[in-house]
Amino acid sequence: MSRTNPVATGRMGPFTADGPTPHVSRVLDHLSGGSGHPAADKELAVQLLSVAPRLREEVRAHRGHTTRVVKWLAGEGYTQFLDLGCGWPFDPDQDEVLHTHDAARTVHEHVDTVYVDNFGPAHSRAEMSLTHDPEAAAVRADVLDVTALLAMAPVRARLSMDRPVAALAHGLLEWLDDHQALDLVSNLHAHLPVGSAVSVTHGATGTQDESSVLAERSTYAAWGIGYHPRSPGHIRALLGRWTLQSPGVVPTALWGSGYGQFAQRLPDNASDYRASYAAVALKSA
């Protein structure tokens, strides 16, 4: 059964008379082997690969990180997950990864999970795949309106605000401008219970792939899509009142690898993560 993809939904470009405009959710799915998407998505994917060849493997590696961090969070006692910007469904048989609710269930038998996306086709696919799972739901909502999101009936039915919630913002914040990204992270802190966690992955600047990151941003911009990679310091600032956990804001491959916050080198297999950072933070008060 196909389940929801933890890759971010992104933003759609402006409408043109030539047919459907590209959407980041579909583009990322195409990069990871998905098929059946409009020509504009394929064209944008080709352009992105020409300036950032790492992207094809980076999408798959991103899923692996989600599996790893969800298992860690479940091991820390979390049994409620809110996956923001879950994106386009993918075939789990093609990847050695687990989706959010499946990863958490390797630790706890019963886990409640809500997947959120505002892109209609992605939401519909996710909803269909979860029809027979009473502990998981997909909702179509704007992640920026946290109050309205948490008030939705499927969310209230599965997530108790009397217990900590683990919110995933994986590959999401880079599609928001500074004000939107800060508002989202701040509102999650304001509305989720004490003890809740937020897990972030984010497209990065200030890396050894800086030139390709800038070219990637320009390519998206040419299609009318805003892409906002940020530095580790900027990501730390966005987390605001959240309490950053060890090893801090680090290249995605370093998170959970045993390397410290100030590691000077990446693992040998980290080439696919050079333009991405990850962090986990808790609401301590």
Side-chain angles (χ1 to χ4, degrees), residues 85-127:
C86 62
W88 201 263
F90 67 91
D91 184 356
D93 293 334
Q94 296 179 359
D95 297 86
E96 294 181 359
V97 298
L98 296 171
H99 300 277
T100 298
H101 62 293
D102 288 326
R105 286 173 186 168
T106 65
V107 180
H108 300 286
E109 181 179 358
H110 297 291
V111 175
D112 293 295
T113 309
V114 176
Y115 296 90
V116 184
D117 208 294
N118 66 347
F119 181 40
H123 163 258
S124 297
R125 294 284 188 92
E127 189 174 46

Side-chain angles (χ1 to χ4, degrees), residues 21 25 37-38 40 58 80-81 141 147-148 156 169 195 253 259 267 270 273:
T21 57
S25 183
H37 299 312
E58 198 168 82
Q80 299 190 116
F81 289 83
T147 302
R156 290 188 289 106
Y259 284 73
Y273 300 75

Side-chain angles (χ1 to χ4, degrees), residues 66-239:
T66 295
T67 297
R68 185 166 68 250
V69 75
V70 168
K71 286 184 176 181
W72 181 83
L73 287 164
E76 293 295 302
Y78 291 91
T79 58
Q80 299 190 116
F81 289 83
L82 182 64
D83 194 334
L84 302 170
C86 62
W88 201 263
F90 67 91
D91 184 356
D93 293 334
Q94 296 179 359
D95 297 86
E96 294 181 359
V97 298
L98 296 171
H99 300 277
T100 298
H101 62 293
D102 288 326
R105 286 173 186 168
T106 65
V107 180
H108 300 286
E109 181 179 358
H110 297 291
V111 175
D112 293 295
T113 309
V114 176
Y115 296 90
V116 184
D117 208 294
N118 66 347
F119 181 40
H123 163 258
S124 297
R125 294 284 188 92
E127 189 174 46
M128 286 177 56
S129 70
L130 297 169
T131 299
H132 302 295
D133 192 325
E135 295 180 332
V139 298
R140 185 176 184 182
D142 182 356
V143 298
L144 295 177
D145 192 344
V146 174
T147 302
L149 168 62
L150 296 180
M152 295 180 71
V155 180
R156 290 188 289 106
R158 288 166 180 82
L159 303 184
S160 169
M161 292 300 109
D162 293 330
R163 295 185 289 116
V165 174
L168 309 183
H170 288 179
L172 175 61
L173 299 180
E174 58 260 50
W175 306 107
L176 308 176
D177 64 32
D178 286 347
H179 295 292
Q180 292 172 325
L182 182 59
D183 283 348
L184 172 57
V185 177
S186 298
N187 286 332
L188 287 171
H189 188 277
H191 289 87
L192 294 180
V194 171
S196 291
V198 62
S199 175
V200 171
T201 65
H202 202 301
T205 58
T207 72
Q208 59 182 299
D209 279 346
E210 185 75 5
S211 61
S212 75
V213 171
L214 296 177
E216 184 183 354
R217 185 172 65 183
S218 296
T219 302
Y220 277 121
W223 287 84
I225 300 173
Y227 176 59
H228 309 278
R230 297 180 172 97
S231 69
H234 199 160
I235 297 168
R236 280 192 293 270
L238 287 177
L239 288 171

Side-chain angles (χ1 to χ4, degrees), residues 20-55:
T21 57
H23 194 283
V24 173
S25 183
R26 291 190 305 243
V27 171
L28 294 176
D29 183 67
H30 179 72
L31 287 172
S32 64
S35 60
H37 299 312
D41 298 308
K42 300 174 185 178
E43 183 178 349
L44 176 51
V46 169
Q47 293 178 11
L48 288 168
L49 286 173
S50 71
V51 299
R54 59 182 162 75
L55 284 176

